[in-house]
């Protein structure tokens, strides 16, 4: 029984090996060719470079509780789609392209728009943490990526925090106006008080207090003298 099973196993193994030998070219050739094909594709495919920067966007109210009433919340999680739109907006990218010299004022609108679309297609922003944003830039060549990414980050942050800065600036101007107004009123009141004190110095509370103190002292002295006089008369 065991001998028959072993013979059948050997027969099946011989059949499998024979079939593999007949198709040896189909097995060996792909093993030899596919790595070469992959290497060639890797060499011929265009190289893509990636660069990214991360930034902490912390709300002003978290750093200074006194600004909680006038600070504007950034709400990064709820505004992520709007943030992506802001990053790729023409206002931001046009400023970046002008700063980097990629477009000029005398360039045609179609050419400028082409450059802006190219920059937009290579940018992406994602939320790396609760208060962290990550801006990614891709390019075919590494030259200029650092400068371009820094310019994009600066203009993007400026636009992202513009509402909060505007609110704080308006509140600061409002407070400064009323502080200056109250200071002018206080200076005017102090000047009027000094003028009145100079004209009616004898009627000031300080002078009246001194007069009352002196009057009380004289009354006490008078009483002592009268008592002394009465004693002398009696004796």
């Amino acid at each position: 029984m065991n001998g028959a099973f072993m013979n059948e196993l050997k027969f099946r193994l011989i059949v499998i090996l024979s079939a593999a030998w007949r198709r040896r070219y189909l097995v060996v050739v792909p093993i030899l060719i596919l790595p070469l094909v992959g290497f060639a594709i890797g060499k011929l495919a265009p190289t893509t470079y990636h660069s990214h920067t991360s930034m902490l966007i912390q709300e002003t109210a978290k750093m200074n509780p006194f600004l909680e009433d006038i600070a504007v919340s950034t709400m990064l999680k709820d505004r992520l789609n709007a943030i992506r739109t802001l990053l790729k907006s023409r206002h931001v990218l046009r400023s970046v392209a002008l700063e980097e010299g990629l477009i000029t004022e005398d360039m045609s609108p179609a050419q400028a728009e082409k450059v802006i679309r190219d920059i937009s297609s290579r940018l992406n922003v994602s939320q790396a943490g609760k208060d962290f944003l990550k801006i990614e830039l891709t390019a075919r060549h590494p030259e200029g990526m650092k400068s371009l990414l820094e310019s994009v980050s600066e203009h993007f942050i400026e636009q992202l925090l513009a509402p909060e800065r505007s609110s704080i600036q308006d509140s600061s101007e409002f407070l400064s106006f009323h502080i200056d107004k109250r200071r002018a009123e206080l200076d005017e009141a102090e000047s009027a008080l000094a003028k009145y004190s100079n004209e009616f110095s004898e009627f000031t509370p300080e002078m009246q207090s001194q007069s009352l103190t002196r009057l009380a002292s004289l009354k006490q002295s008078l009483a002592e003298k009268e008592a002394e006089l009465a004693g002398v008369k009696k004796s």
Side-chain angles (χ1 to χ4, degrees):
M1 186 75 177
N2 291 334
F5 176 75
M6 291 299 295
N7 292 333
E8 184 180 356
L9 182 60
K10 291 179 180 179
F11 177 75
R12 289 184 178 180
L13 184 59
I14 292 171
V15 172
I16 293 173
L17 291 175
S18 299
W21 178 253
R22 288 194 301 269
R23 293 174 174 80
R24 60 187 181 277
Y25 296 108
L26 295 178
V27 176
V28 175
V29 171
I31 295 176
L32 297 176
I33 292 178
L34 289 180
L36 297 176
V37 173
F39 179 77
I41 293 175
K43 285 294 184 180
L44 295 176
T47 304
T48 301
Y49 295 89
H50 295 264
S51 180
H52 72 273
T53 180
S54 300
M55 56 193 68
L56 174 64
I57 309 296
Q58 194 168 21
E59 296 179 9
T60 306
K62 293 181 179 179
M63 297 182 289
N64 190 346
F66 295 101
L67 299 178
E68 186 173 359
D69 295 334
I70 62 176
V72 178
S73 176
T74 53
M75 298 182 297
L76 294 181
K77 185 177 180 181
D78 299 332
R79 295 177 55 201
L80 193 56
N81 290 332
I83 287 173
R84 290 194 181 99
T85 303
L86 176 63
L87 176 66
K88 299 185 178 185
S89 64
R90 294 186 74 261
H91 177 70
V92 171
L93 297 186
R94 180 175 177 82
S95 300
V96 171
L98 286 171
E99 185 176 291
E100 292 298 307
L102 301 177
I103 62 175
T104 57
E105 295 292 348
D106 55 351
M107 185 179 290
S108 67
Q111 291 175 325
E113 187 66 25
K114 183 179 179 181
V115 173
I116 292 174
R117 284 200 303 267
D118 176 66
I119 299 175
S120 176
S121 65
R122 297 188 285 117
L123 281 174
N124 187 37
V125 62
S126 58
Q127 189 173 5
K130 183 178 180 181
D131 296 323
F132 279 93
L133 286 180
K134 180 180 180 181
I135 300 179
E136 298 175 280
L137 174 67
T138 60
R140 296 290 179 84
H141 305 284
E143 293 80 8
M145 290 185 67
K146 179 178 180 294
S147 176
L148 181 61
L149 189 58
E150 289 178 350
S151 179
V152 169
S153 301
E154 290 175 1
H155 288 278
F156 170 70
I157 288 297
E158 183 178 351
Q159 294 299 318
L160 179 64
L161 300 181
E164 183 176 6
R165 289 175 178 173
S166 176
S167 175
I168 294 177
Q169 182 178 358
D170 293 342
S171 301
S172 176
E173 292 176 355
F174 174 81
L175 294 175
S176 298
F177 170 78
H178 283 278
I179 289 174
D180 293 340
K181 182 178 179 181
R182 295 296 182 271
R183 182 181 292 112
E185 293 175 353
L186 177 60
D187 292 341
E188 183 178 354
E190 289 180 346
S191 177
L193 176 61
K195 182 179 179 181
Y196 181 84
S197 298
N198 291 332
E199 292 180 357
F200 307 98
S201 58
E202 66 274 12
F203 298 110
T204 60
E206 291 80 3
M207 294 301 298
Q208 289 183 357
S209 177
Q210 293 177 6
S211 299
L212 290 175
T213 302
R214 185 179 180 187
L215 178 61
S217 177
L218 291 175
K219 286 183 177 180
Q220 183 179 1
S221 179
L222 176 61
E224 292 175 354
K225 295 297 183 183
E226 288 178 348
E228 183 178 355
L229 177 61
V232 171
K233 289 181 177 180
K234 186 177 180 180
S235 63

